[in-house]
Amino acid sequence: MKEKIYRQLFALLAFASVLFLVGISITLFVEGLPVFMEVGVFDFLFGKLWYPTSDPPDFGILPLIMATVWVTGGALVIGIVLGVGSAIYIHEMAGRTQRAILKPTVEILAAIPSIVYGFFGMVLVAPFLQRLLDIPVGLCAFTGSLVLGIMTVPTICSISEDALSYVPHSFREASLAVGANRWQTLTQVVIPAAGSGISTAIILGMSRAVGETMTVLMVCGGAAMVPTSFFQPVRPMTAAIAAEMGEAVVGGLHFHALFAIGLILFFITLLFNVVAEMVSRRFRLKLGLAG
Amino acid sequence: MKKNMTQFIGFSSVYLATVITLFLLGMIVYFIAAKGFSVLDWEFFTEVPKRGMTEGGVAPAIVGTFYLTIGAIVFALPLGLACAIYLCEYSPKGIVVNVIRMSIYNLAGVPSVVFGLFGLAVFVKYFGFGVSILSGSLTLGIMALPRIIASSEEALLAVPQSYREASLAVGATHWQTIKKMVLPSALPGILTGVILSIGAVAGETAPILFTAATFYTRGYPDSVFSEVMALPYHIYALMTEGTHPAEQTEIAYGCSLILLFLVFAISAVAIFFRYRQRIVHE
Amino acid sequence: MNNEMVRIKAENVNFYYGQKQALKNISLDVYQNKVTALIGPSGCGKSTFIRLLNRMNDLVPRTRVEGNIFLDNVDINRGQIDVVDLRRRVGMVFQKPNPFPKSIFENLNYGLKVNGCKNRAEREKKIISALQKAALWQEVKDRLNESALGLSGGQQQRLCIARCLAVNPEVILFDEPCASLDPISTRYIEELILELKRDYTIVIVTHNMQQAARISDFTAFLYLGELIEFGLTEKIFTVPTQKMTEEYLSGKFG
């Protein structure tokens, strides 16, 4: 009898996560809905002007969406090159000691708060790049991509390394046995076998980059215009929410518009996560690791 | 020969990528440590900010972050642990469990600023807690939940099935087995997860932007309904809202170093725990 | 055979892991104060069967049991029985010694505490007596507070037997208790089992035919989930009625 009560109690508490996830989506819907009604879905998503506080206001979030796309895209290039590169290094080239140091180091670096990255980007990277590249402002999409890219390295690196290590040793032996060298074995056998695992890493890195707030808020410059060059200041979606919520009138259209942006972000990251999960499931199936 | 050339270039570029990564990350730590150390002194930890944030310490921000973090863990730990216990020890495997697992997985991927929006709409406005420690802690707690569940689950799964069988075989009930055998064995692993979550929660900024944090308070918070200063938010505010950028940047260096140090200390403790646990299991 | 008292009676027991049938129509009796051995090649279902007797297979998901198993004429798979009490009455010693990661004392104390024995002095008395019965007392009396994981494999297994005895069971199930032990420890355990049968009813699974011959009164031979032959050990080993039993005992397969 008592046992049954415990079981039901735990079941109830276990449902908290479901409750929160559903709660978040309902909240975003309810708070974001007015803006879709008043501005219209199409004009909201594809409007080129974002002047939420002028009179009359413009609520077109295309500049914000494009800023997110540019900055995330740039970050991803850096994240993939450095992240997958170091994963390959750790897996293929590092000895036992190096590995034992590098793996925890990567883990610790993943734990550095985003505000610290943002601060670093603002006080050091931006002025440095401004002088080095002779650009008008240091706080721009490029700087944002760079710092955000560094931030995604630990995620991409550690998941990719896991994926590489799941590739059965027999694959490697078979390739070496037919006279391939280590690099050929790596690029033609190991990496393709780990391919969907690495894709999972990249998708999750991308999901993190899209949702990252403080860094882009501090280093991207904040201009809400559709970007035409990497050296322009931009305002990604997350930055817009964080920067403007303080000045938005509660219950006003601007307030609802920011929730609507949150809703879009929520679904983008949800989509990425679902895709990542599907890809990684296929990966485990392929290597016979399904459990 | 061409084959070996490609191999050489390939491995060199991989090596280069690693060196660049380590260099960049080393730079972050080096610059913040080098500049931050000159700011840190006793006063920095114990005094309130003075003269428009250009002098004095950041004690209220440290205290605020402490309260927010404790609050978040107090909220998330029982809930997360209960969830992990359900999934590992009771789970009947089926649609229910799949739905729970999917929710946890997706909750982990929600952007931090979206948690902030949720906290604003639900805790600050709907429940009327206002911008406060309570709202901020609850928001941070929900955010920490997936991580706590994941690490607790891992710790529970690491408890050998033979302990459970042996306990049941001497006539312990299911609940007695969980309480007296499984949980004590899993405790180090659960604690490691909690410690790591503390690091993550303490450094979060976006979720508390609209739910708890403020740039300046007179003195210290006196109830869970007070708004607070917090270290990560303080860095942001110093860099974007102040009137004396040069002096404020110095203080921001100090705050960043404290956060960085916190993260390193916590990771070190967690790694130590994990190491010791491995020894116990062997 | 008929004047013996039957403690456990299995009738037409079928058992399934998912779709796969692991036990087919098993019926056998376990007699009071006797040692009943289950033998057969690995995968024959002997461990599965013994784990049904204290419902340990409840822990394995997607399993199903049909038929009846009676303990003192009460069906252990039906509503009235409390599975926790069943497991206290029907103790179990596992294949691999599995002491808790606690002190020697706590390993025994645990079972007493979960069974509601509140008085500490009484618990201590029971613990000492259990350790004595398990022939472990002399070796551990000065180190009761040390970790049980510091004991040798054979000592650990005797500790697990003591842990089982401490809660005063009526039947003890041994699931290949010597599978991971050296020959000397094995002899110790075998002597102990012969000692224990005066007070307890014992069922033992073993893959070692000599062991079954040395210590058991009754032997059941299982093959591919079926009970091929069941009877007095001396008869089974000298004049088996089934050809398959004879082939197995003479080492032709398994």
Side-chain angles (χ1 to χ4, degrees), chain B residues 93 161-174 176-178 180-181 184-185 280, chain C residues 51 56 59 61-62 84 87-88 90-92 94 98-102 110-111 114-115 163 167:
Chain B
K93 290 215 165 114
Q161 185 66 12
S162 68
Y163 293 0
R164 293 185 186 88
E165 289 185 344
S167 171
L168 292 172
V170 293
T173 63
H174 195 164
Q176 281 173 324
T177 302
I178 293 170
K180 297 197 172 156
M181 186 55 53
S185 306
V280 170
Chain C
R51 287 166 65 92
M56 226 39 171
L59 304 183
R62 286 188 293 266
V84 172
R87 290 185 184 138
R88 207 236 353 113
V90 182
M92 185 164 216
F94 297 81
N98 58 350
F100 300 129
K102 297 169 181 263
Y110 177 82
V114 298
N115 282 303
R163 180 176 67 195
V167 295

Side-chain angles (χ1 to χ4, degrees), chain C residues 182-223:
Chain C
D182 58 273
I184 296 171
S185 304
T186 301
R187 273 247 332 262
Y188 248 77
I189 305 271
E190 286 182 5
E191 281 166 19
L192 187 56
I193 290 174
L194 289 174
E195 195 72 19
L196 290 173
K197 81 170 182 183
R198 280 188 297 176
D199 299 322
Y200 306 93
T201 301
I202 289 170
V203 183
I204 179 170
V205 164
T206 175
H207 62 265
N208 178 338
M209 284 174 277
Q210 282 70 40
Q211 184 169 66
R214 281 195 296 270
I215 64 175
S216 70
D217 303 292
F218 293 90
T219 296
F221 172 53
L222 281 81
Y223 183 65

Side-chain angles (χ1 to χ4, degrees), chain A residues 59-100:
Chain A
F59 292 107
I61 62 166
L62 191 65
L64 314 179
I65 294 178
M66 289 319 286
T68 295
V69 170
W70 280 56
V71 174
T72 307
L76 217 53
V77 172
I78 294 164
I80 292 172
V81 170
L82 297 183
V84 178
S86 17
I88 293 173
Y89 179 83
I90 292 177
H91 188 254
E92 285 288 320
M93 297 165 74
R96 277 176 71 98
T97 339
Q98 271 191 19
R99 215 181 142 87

Side-chain angles (χ1 to χ4, degrees), chain A residues 2-84:
Chain A
K2 217 165 111 189
E3 290 291 310
K4 244 192 191 137
I5 295 173
Y6 278 120
R7 177 193 199 90
Q8 274 157 4
L9 181 73
F10 280 118
L12 202 66
L13 292 173
F15 254 98
S17 313
V18 185
L19 185 76
F20 291 136
L21 195 70
V22 173
I24 288 173
S25 40
I26 290 176
T27 308
L28 295 174
F29 255 118
V30 169
E31 295 288 350
L33 205 58
V35 86
F36 290 118
M37 310 273 269
E38 289 217 9
V39 181
V41 177
F42 188 85
D43 287 343
F44 182 68
L45 289 178
F46 301 105
K48 286 195 179 115
L49 298 176
W50 175 254
Y51 293 113
T53 48
S54 65
D55 194 24
D58 286 304
F59 292 107
I61 62 166
L62 191 65
L64 314 179
I65 294 178
M66 289 319 286
T68 295
V69 170
W70 280 56
V71 174
T72 307
L76 217 53
V77 172
I78 294 164
I80 292 172
V81 170
L82 297 183
V84 178

